[in-house]
Amino acid sequence: MIISTADTPFHGEQFVALTLSTKTWYGERIPIDDGDLIEGGLPKPSSILPWAVASIADDDVRRELKRLRADVVDATVTRFAASLGIDPERAR
C-alpha cells in the first residue's frame, strides 16, 4: 500500500509503502474488507501490516490493484505513526 503523497521527497521516483499480506495471524494487522475498496479488487482476502514499511522505486510498481477509502488510509497511517512513537496529530 503506497502511502506517499506529492509532498514526499522524490515523489514519482520513489514511494513509501506499507506491506499487504494474506496471512491472518498477525494481531496488529488491518483487515481490508470489500467495503474498504473504492475501485479495483484484491485476488485474496488481505490485510495491511502498519509496522512493515518499505521504500520502493517507481520501476517496482507494476500495476494498481485497488484504491482504498481515505478513512482506511488515514487510520492506517495513524497506526503506522503510532508504531514509531509519533503523535499523528502533532505530525500534521
Side-chain angles (χ1 to χ4, degrees):
M1 174 181 139
I2 294 176
I3 60 171
S4 296
T5 67
D7 297 328
T8 304
F10 305 105
H11 180 73
E13 298 174 35
Q14 190 173 23
F15 302 96
V16 177
L18 298 178
T19 301
L20 293 178
S21 176
T22 59
K23 308 299 186 225
T24 59
W25 61 79
Y26 299 118
E28 296 297 317
R29 69 188 174 89
I30 300 170
I32 300 171
D33 298 321
D34 287 340
D36 296 332
L37 300 168
I38 295 173
E39 58 186 49
L42 295 169
K44 295 181 179 181
S46 300
S47 298
I48 303 164
L49 308 182
W51 65 89
V53 64
S55 175
I56 59 173
D58 180 49
D59 293 344
D60 295 326
V61 178
R62 305 274 191 274
R63 61 190 166 108
E64 181 179 310
L65 294 175
K66 77 262 140 243
R67 285 190 184 265
L68 291 168
R69 290 190 342 251
D71 62 312
V72 175
V73 175
D74 290 344
T76 301
V77 171
T78 296
R79 289 203 26 207
F80 168 62
S83 75
L84 298 175
I86 299 169
D87 178 355
E89 293 303 316
R90 297 188 75 199
R92 292 177 190 214

